[in-house]
Amino acid sequence: MSPLVGQVINLFAAVLLLIAFAMLAQRRIVTLIHLFALQGLALVGSTTTVAFATGQHHLYWSAGITFALKVVILPLILHRLIRRLNVKWDIETLINIPTMMLVGILLVVFAFNLALPISQFSQSIARGTLGIAMACVLMSFLMMITRSKAVPQVIGFLAMENGLFFAATSATYGMPMVVELGIALDVLVGMVILGVFMFQIREQFDSLDIHHLEKLKED
């Protein structure tokens, strides 16, 4: 592998990490969707670079599926969803943004230390970015548990899947094509189900705050 290819992969990994921090601090849902699409685009670039450098042609198909699903289809579904729900802002977080950013930095340090012994067993050219992939997963999970509205939590779940896919590419040159197609279908079907779920919450409570679901337990 040439040094240039390694630098390009590291660049895409750094972009993924920066976008994860931006998503963690973002309050406007429309911008959050745009950041998710950019994250998908960076993932496509990284996967294509690994495919070019290693000759793993199935990764080109993976990049194509990721582009269609993460950059085009899911952002369009999310934009249509927030227009129908008339939702553009998510100003409620369980902890303030500076504290979330500090926790995010701590998660990055933890992820790098956790990934260090694992990456030593990997033969992938992108094994050095495994820590970044794990950090993206952890920060997406943090975004999910610190948001009180359903839409940002769904975006956090999708961003977590991006991190897992990047981790698979970093460690093992991706997954078999049948598995990737199955995951893509599961994500798409899950997105449709979550959309129906959000419409039901809005119709029942006139709000997307998931804390209203506690009323159902009381009833």
Side-chain angles (χ1 to χ4, degrees), residues 44-217:
V44 169
S46 173
T47 306
T48 304
T49 303
V50 173
F52 173 78
T54 62
Q56 301 281 338
H57 297 293
H58 73 278
L59 289 178
Y60 288 115
W61 289 100
S62 300
I65 293 171
T66 302
F67 180 82
L69 188 64
K70 305 291 183 63
V71 182
V72 180
I73 298 176
L74 289 180
L76 287 176
I77 292 176
L78 288 168
H79 278 295
R80 182 178 178 83
L81 189 62
I82 63 171
R83 282 198 302 268
R84 292 285 301 273
L85 294 171
N86 194 26
V87 176
K88 294 186 178 180
W89 289 89
D90 174 49
I91 58 174
E92 297 182 27
T93 56
L94 300 181
I95 57 178
N96 58 52
I97 298 300
T99 303
M100 287 177 62
M101 298 299 285
L102 179 59
V103 174
I105 293 173
L106 295 176
L107 288 176
V108 171
V109 175
F110 173 76
F112 271 89
N113 282 279
L114 184 64
L116 184 60
I118 301 174
S119 60
Q120 293 176 351
F121 294 99
S122 174
Q123 300 300 318
S124 169
I125 61 173
R127 62 184 182 274
T129 61
L130 183 59
I132 292 180
M134 296 181 70
C136 290
V137 171
L138 292 175
M139 285 196 289
S140 298
F141 182 71
L142 177 63
M143 186 175 76
M144 287 180 61
I145 64 177
T146 56
R147 301 299 173 102
S148 59
K149 298 295 179 62
V151 178
Q153 289 186 345
V154 169
I155 297 175
F157 167 76
L158 296 173
M160 184 185 297
E161 200 273 333
N162 281 347
L164 291 172
F165 183 85
F166 185 60
T169 304
S170 300
T172 62
Y173 295 143
M175 297 168 284
M177 183 55 59
V178 174
V179 177
E180 292 184 9
L181 288 172
I183 292 175
L185 181 61
D186 288 344
V187 170
L188 189 58
V189 172
M191 185 65 221
V192 173
I193 294 173
L194 288 170
V196 174
F197 176 66
M198 282 185 277
F199 275 110
Q200 291 294 328
I201 296 176
R202 184 60 178 267
E203 182 179 351
Q204 184 72 27
F205 301 109
D206 197 28
S207 171
L208 289 176
D209 193 326
I210 62 171
H211 293 150
H212 290 302
L213 296 178
E214 295 177 0
K215 297 179 180 178
L216 296 178
K217 294 191 299 184

Side-chain angles (χ1 to χ4, degrees), residues 1-15 46 49 53 125-126 129 132:
M1 181 185 68
S2 67
L4 179 59
V5 173
Q7 291 175 4
V8 171
I9 294 174
N10 290 332
L11 175 63
F12 281 121
V15 170
S46 173
T49 303
I125 61 173
T129 61
I132 292 180

Side-chain angles (χ1 to χ4, degrees), residues 25-45:
Q26 185 56 239
R27 293 187 175 185
R28 187 170 173 82
I29 294 180
V30 174
T31 307
L32 199 58
I33 296 174
H34 292 160
L35 288 171
F36 169 72
L38 285 175
Q39 192 179 55
L41 197 59
L43 192 60
V44 169

